[in-house]
Amino acid sequence: MTRNLEVLKTQYLKVDPESPEPELIKKAAEVINKGGLVAFPTETVYGLGADGLNSEAVNKIFQVKGRSRKNPLILHVSSLEQAKSLSSSWPQAADILAKSFWPGPLTLILPRAEGIPDAVTAGLPTIALRYPSSGIALALIAASGVPIAAPSANLSGRPSPTRPEDVLSDLDGKIDMILDGGPAEVGVESTILSLTEEQPVLLRPGGVTREEIEGALNQEVIVPDAVLSPDKPAGEDAAPCPGYYFRHYAPRAQVIMVAGEPEEQAAKVEKYLTQNRGKRIGVLATSENYSLYRNLTVPPFYLASLGSRSCTEEIANQLFSALRDCDRAGVELILVETVAPEGMGLAVMNRLCRAAEQQKI
Ligand code: TXA
Ligand code: MG
């Protein structure tokens, strides 16, 4: 059913992330309980929350984001008991992972319990569960008394919002309320791990690394090819994230990855700039190459550092906001230096491959 999108006055509340004001949280919880939409910060990115047990409220999320209804949502909880109540079985691996990483940026896929609306799971027999660590998120979930269904608070296809202004630039006037808790800490979304197969399957790399999960479980995690090659349609057996099939993380500007060792990357960028003089090219560089690009004879139209390649957490933290800043600056084409797909580098490369739709020099 399509509902006409009304123009709303989006209420803006500034909330202290260290100690969320109870009266502000109460206002937000009231909106959730009435079936409205509230954008709120989590430690990964901003989420667009609705009462996860209210189909009508959940439907609004899809409508406002322009999201395919085949793409299921994550339910956010504020306790381990609440998570357990939403899945029909709780394997030992879930216990170990919950102990090690919850609350935190890890989402577990488990068999779903009864009573969860089909709109949340897109009709799948499984449910995505996440117990976030952000104080504002936890307070909001607890005050609402329901699990909160929340995708990233962006229009479908755009880079996830890591700052309140990114949420507003996509959703102002379309949602009931935004809680401004400042910039997100992690900057990329949670890791999604499926525990429905014999071996755990990494559906989306994110804030908890593959290496950390393997260390905690003392077991190898399967990483489907599709994590780094979104253009290869993953076979049914690869247990892909339904989200794989949709265009993702894309700024308005075209994105091209620059691969290779730092010196090679620098040479490729310089050549590209020279050959495409006059084009409004943005360069997102690692800090190792950043200063080189400031002194070129054909300098980039826009230049930013994502951080050091030896600290991929920093790069993950900067990536989405940097892509959005390029759009704001009027960049036509973005060259981004790639990093090794290890640790948080795997999440960075997963997002980049999708944003660039595999285009590489
Ligand atoms: O960090 C995060 O996870 C953020 C914050 C707001 O919590 N949320 C987020 O949600 O990234 P979203 O909707 O943008 O991405 C959720 C992904 C989608 O790609 C979806 O396909 C996948 O989770 N997913 C949800 N339920 C699933 C299920 N039952 N099986 C497999 N994948 C699922
Ligand atoms: Mg998203």
Side-chain angles (χ1 to χ4, degrees), residues 134-209:
S134 139
I136 295 178
L138 290 174
L140 177 61
I141 302 161
S144 316
V146 287
I148 292 190
S152 47
N154 52 283
L155 292 175
S156 239
R158 302 264 303 142
S160 296
T162 55
R163 305 168 295 198
E165 61 267 35
D166 299 336
V167 176
L168 288 171
S169 83
D170 281 14
L171 301 177
D172 194 16
K174 298 187 172 124
I175 61 177
D176 298 285
M177 182 180 277
I178 174 169
L179 303 182
D180 174 351
E185 222 173 285
V186 178
V188 287
E189 303 89 337
S190 61
T191 299
I192 303 183
L193 189 76
S194 171
L195 294 179
T196 60
E197 316 278 316
E198 206 141 293
Q199 253 179 302
V201 183
L202 185 83
L203 298 181
R204 179 178 73 185
V208 173
T209 65

Side-chain angles (χ1 to χ4, degrees), residues 79-99:
S79 71
L80 189 56
E81 298 68 54
Q82 195 181 16
K84 287 185 178 174
S85 75
L86 294 165
S87 83
S88 64
S89 79
W90 193 261
Q92 199 198 358
D95 254 339
I96 297 170
L97 293 169
K99 259 199 204 102

